[in-house]
Amino acid sequence: MEYSQATQRTIAFIEEQLTEEMTLEHLPHTAGYSKYHLSRIFKQETGLTIGEYIRIRRLALAASYLMYSNASILTIAFTLQFQSQEAFTRAFKEIYALPPGKYRKMMQSLSMTEEEKLVVSNEQVKGWMLSGGNPELYQFHTDDKVFHSGTRSGVLYSSTASANNGQFATMMQGFQAAEFKGKRLKMSCYLKTVDVAKCGAWMRIDNATGDTIQFDNMDQRSVKGTTEWNHYSIVLDVPEEGDSIYFGVLLIGSGKVWADGFRFEEVDDKVPSTNMLSQERLPKQPANLDFSMD
């Protein structure tokens, strides 16, 4: 998990500096590694180079500015540290397939009224479902104003201030485990939070009878409070008896969490498992059998 923490510290620094000039020389001190080692760690964890990550995040921020502000394209380009409007236009078109001006016109023409958004927010999100112990206290839908990359994210939040730490909900989905049997599977995503009591990504592996045989919900490294976008990952082995894989984002109590950029990849044994059901996490001997210990 040390590499994950280095990546998270790096991303936290980047998120604070997206509108500022940045070079790799600034980052090693933040993460505690040389810039060369940090670059390898970052690519290993996220699948992106540091430069690619900065570029994608700046362009996502640009897309938001184009949709929800009246700033000129030149102003947006300079604000996000592009050297010219032409350079910004080329980079934006590579990701969004349209030049900024046409993108702005198209997205603004497609913008919905608040009433239309309310209807959409109450519809199911394709591939996903809202579940958990108290789903009636939560809302889950897509958000086209807050996203990590692309044009929208999934957002889960308590719809009542009375949601407490004994209540929870999750945005989730599942798929067959056949493709990953006998492999070590890493799931990663980006999360952003506002005033959350406790939340985190989760993944579990079930066998054919529905028993859970691998599981992690980030309980010991959960996200709390208000945080900017950052990268989180879970690593589990998929045994031969594994039948199904479920994953999602869990929100306990009140608050709001956005999720984006889910990614699955096979990793080798050098990447440690985060399985919470591992025997290594159990004590070697039973304790306090007569309840005499405080």
Side-chain angles (χ1 to χ4, degrees):
M1 299 307 297
E2 183 179 348
Y3 283 178
S4 294
Q5 292 168 3
T7 297
Q8 288 171 357
R9 288 195 296 270
T10 301
I11 288 177
F13 176 84
I14 290 172
E15 290 295 322
E16 293 178 351
Q17 305 292 324
L18 284 174
T19 59
E20 306 295 331
E21 185 177 355
M22 270 187 287
T23 69
L24 288 180
E25 304 297 333
H26 296 129
L27 300 176
H29 175 71
T30 302
Y33 292 98
S34 72
K35 63 180 180 181
Y36 302 107
H37 190 43
L38 177 61
S39 296
R40 289 195 296 271
I41 291 170
F42 195 93
K43 179 69 179 290
Q44 175 182 315
E45 288 291 309
T46 68
L48 299 169
T49 66
I50 293 174
E52 287 170 341
Y53 180 87
I54 294 172
R55 179 171 172 269
I56 287 173
R57 284 294 294 130
R58 282 176 169 167
L59 290 171
L61 195 55
S64 181
Y65 288 164
L66 288 166
M67 286 189 287
Y68 300 109
S69 82
N70 294 320
S72 69
I73 294 174
L74 181 61
T75 297
I76 293 173
F78 286 157
T79 298
L80 295 173
Q81 298 299 311
F82 287 89
Q83 298 302 307
S84 67
Q85 183 170 328
E86 291 75 17
F88 168 63
T89 297
R90 286 196 301 271
F92 190 88
K93 191 174 180 180
E94 286 179 10
I95 299 295
Y96 291 92
L98 289 171
K102 288 186 177 180
Y103 180 87
R104 168 176 268 169
K105 289 180 180 179
M106 183 186 76
M107 296 304 292
Q108 289 182 345
S109 69
L110 294 175
S111 63
M112 296 180 290
T113 65
E114 290 303 316
E115 290 77 12
E116 290 171 327
K117 288 181 179 179
L118 182 60
V119 172
V120 171
S121 72
N122 290 325
E123 294 178 350
Q124 287 190 338
V125 179
K126 182 180 179 180
W128 293 86
M129 63 180 291
L130 175 65
S131 186
N134 310 90
E136 71 280 359
L137 301 179
Y138 295 83
Q139 294 286 330
F140 166 52
H141 55 84
T142 60
D143 191 334
D144 61 3
K145 288 188 176 181
V146 179
F147 47 86
H148 181 267
S149 56
T151 59
R152 61 183 58 198
S153 64
V155 58
L156 171 66
Y157 57 95
S158 55
S159 54
T160 171
S162 63
N164 60 51
N165 290 348
Q167 299 166 322
F168 67 93
T170 176
M171 59 171 98
M172 64 170 290
Q173 61 173 287
F175 59 97
Q176 296 179 11
E179 182 180 345
F180 298 101
K181 285 187 177 184
K183 300 176 180 179
R184 179 161 287 188
L185 181 64
K186 177 180 177 181
M187 181 201 78
S188 58
C189 64
Y190 294 92
L191 302 179
K192 173 184 170 72
T193 64
V194 170
D195 295 332
V196 299
K198 186 176 183 179
C199 77
W202 63 271
M203 181 168 68
R204 78 171 195 256
I205 316 297
D206 289 357
N207 62 20
T209 61
D211 297 324
T212 298
I213 50 181
Q214 294 264 313
F215 176 72
D216 180 21
N217 68 353
M218 290 180 54
D219 184 62
Q220 300 302 312
R221 58 189 194 283
S222 58
V223 184
K224 299 178 181 181
T226 298
T227 63
E228 277 301 328
W229 287 109
N230 216 318
H231 182 267
Y232 303 93
S233 62
I234 287 174
V235 180
L236 298 178
D237 292 316
V238 184
E240 290 297 333
E241 65 268 29
D243 182 74
S244 54
I245 300 172
Y246 295 92
F247 70 97
V249 174
L250 175 70
L251 176 60
I252 299 174
S254 60
K256 194 170 190 176
V257 54
W258 290 264
D260 199 358
F262 281 88
R263 177 171 173 252
F264 289 86
E265 59 182 317
E266 179 186 352
V267 295
D268 58 32
D269 292 342
K270 294 179 181 178
V271 180
S273 170
T274 62
N275 179 29
M276 294 172 60
L277 304 182
S278 170
Q279 289 185 352
E280 296 176 358
R281 296 175 181 264
L282 296 175
K284 293 183 179 180
Q285 300 291 333
N288 195 24
L289 301 182
D290 60 359
F291 303 100
S292 61
M293 296 171 60
D294 292 333

